[in-house]
Amino acid sequence: MTDTAPVDLVLSSTPAAGVRLLCLNRPEKRNALSQPLIRSLLSALSNASADDHIFSIILTGNGPFFCAGADLNDIATLDEAGARASRYLEDLCKGFAAVKKPIIAAVNGPALGGGFEIALMSDFIVSAEPAYFVLPETKIGLIPGAGGTQRLTAAVGKYRAMRSILLAERMTAEEAMAASLVASVVNPDNLTQRCLEMASNFTAANRQTIEFAKQAICRADDLGRDDGFERDLYYTAFGTDEKKRGVDDFLTARRKKA
């Protein structure tokens, strides 16, 4: 199954049952985020999210780069009013946030600026060994604008985030792993396979449970423990077939071991 997005922007395929692979495909521009690419990516994410046969999404880049961030040709002439009117960073954040299914960023190469922020918007980051992460915006008179300041700080702490953002300091894949930002670091040849192994945990049988858990985790930074959002999802899960089947299977297996 493929999306209708132009092939020079986003490629879409199903490398395994229940998995949608999205590939940023502007290798000649280091997969820089042009506005057409962002629109195509958001459309592909929306389509995958609405497809009942898809249970997880893998996002990667074509060529040596994962994503070099915003296409500077698009933003060079923007003033404040033009930047606000473009809405593309706002739409990008909202588009990722609307996806209830797990998104795995398969970072095949350098993730710069907005490319790093896209990885941070994902639910898991699996990185190839040569990849690195950097937010260079302060070097060109900007700051991260797609949630990078908040997400990176939440992930690695204030002082490491200061180094990454104020100093535009590069973070290697191994450093990102040590900071718990990256779930796994692998040989480039094994990147897709490792992501597919992770994606195999998400199936039709646990679709609702995974969606509930992801929603609760994503709201954790915004809500206190007494807010009730997690508790409401917890109670809702009791009404699903997944809960009944999961508990019954567990108790049956335990009785067999007894």
Side-chain angles (χ1 to χ4, degrees), residues 41-150:
L41 175 58
L42 291 176
S43 175
L45 285 171
S46 178
N47 290 343
S49 185
D51 190 331
D52 289 338
H53 298 95
I54 298 299
F55 311 116
S56 61
I57 301 163
I58 297 173
L59 175 62
T60 193
N62 183 19
F65 272 70
F66 174 69
C67 177
D71 190 326
L72 296 185
N73 290 315
D74 280 3
I75 66 174
T77 59
L78 286 180
D79 58 10
E80 180 180 350
R84 290 183 184 276
S86 72
R87 286 180 50 87
Y88 75 92
L89 288 178
E90 182 178 347
D91 291 343
L92 194 61
C93 292
K94 289 182 177 179
F96 270 78
V99 179
K100 295 180 180 179
K101 300 168 183 179
I103 302 173
I104 303 169
V107 179
N108 54 297
L112 314 179
F116 189 0
E117 291 186 282
I118 282 178
L120 289 169
M121 291 178 202
S122 303
D123 303 303
F124 304 92
I125 302 175
V126 178
S127 179
E129 289 171 347
Y132 60 84
F133 305 83
V134 62
L135 293 170
E137 285 87 349
T138 57
K139 298 296 185 183
I140 58 169
L142 293 171
I143 66 169
T149 56
Q150 295 98 329

Side-chain angles (χ1 to χ4, degrees), residues 209-245:
T209 303
I210 294 299
E211 289 184 3
F212 288 162
K214 174 176 171 174
Q215 288 181 66
I217 292 168
C218 289
R219 292 286 296 275
D221 286 338
D222 301 325
L223 304 173
R225 280 190 291 274
D226 294 330
D227 175 87
F229 181 76
E230 179 191 66
R231 192 179 310 112
D232 183 59
L233 288 173
Y234 172 71
Y235 292 144
T236 302
F238 274 75
T240 67
D241 290 338
E242 290 176 20
K243 177 266 176 186
K244 184 178 187 304
R245 183 173 56 250

Side-chain angles (χ1 to χ4, degrees), residues 192-213:
T192 299
Q193 183 57 38
R194 178 68 187 96
C195 291
L196 289 174
E197 289 171 0
M198 185 176 288
S200 69
N201 289 282
F202 311 119
T203 66
N206 66 4
R207 177 182 61 83
Q208 281 189 307
T209 303
I210 294 299
E211 289 184 3
F212 288 162

